[in-house]
Amino acid sequence: PAHLLTEAVALKAAEQAGRALQYVPAHLITEAMALKAVEKDGHVLRFVPAELRTEILALKAVEQHVNAM
């Protein structure tokens, strides 16, 4: 249920499976959450809001998958 999806729950999900980030509303995604998710799966960079995308995040994504960009 949507009312149970909090920032803490979303962070835990991203730590477990990066692809979970695609189901997190953009307003709940934090820099830390994005980093955890991208470290698990570089392809989830596309689900990170533009304002949170950094060079470090892009480097982590490419470390996981060369074609993540």
Side-chain angles (χ1 to χ4, degrees), residues 33-53:
M33 186 185 307
L35 182 59
K36 294 287 185 185
V38 168
E39 287 175 340
K40 289 284 185 186
D41 184 344
H43 288 285
V44 301
L45 182 61
R46 67 178 176 234
F47 301 115
V48 176
E51 64 271 12
L52 295 179
R53 293 180 193 168

Side-chain angles (χ1 to χ4, degrees), residues 10-21 36-37 40-41 44:
L11 177 59
K12 186 55 94 174
E15 290 173 346
Q16 296 295 314
R19 292 261 174 184
L21 195 68
K36 294 287 185 185
K40 289 284 185 186
D41 184 344
V44 301

Side-chain angles (χ1 to χ4, degrees), residues 2 6 9-10 16 19 21-23 25-27 29-31 33 42-43 45 50-52 54 57 63-65 69:
T6 63
V9 170
Q16 296 295 314
R19 292 261 174 184
L21 195 68
Q22 67 185 307
Y23 302 108
H27 71 276
I29 298 175
T30 64
E31 288 183 44
M33 186 185 307
H43 288 285
L45 182 61
E51 64 271 12
L52 295 179
T54 63
L57 207 55
E63 285 175 9
Q64 285 298 313
H65 296 283
M69 295 297 296

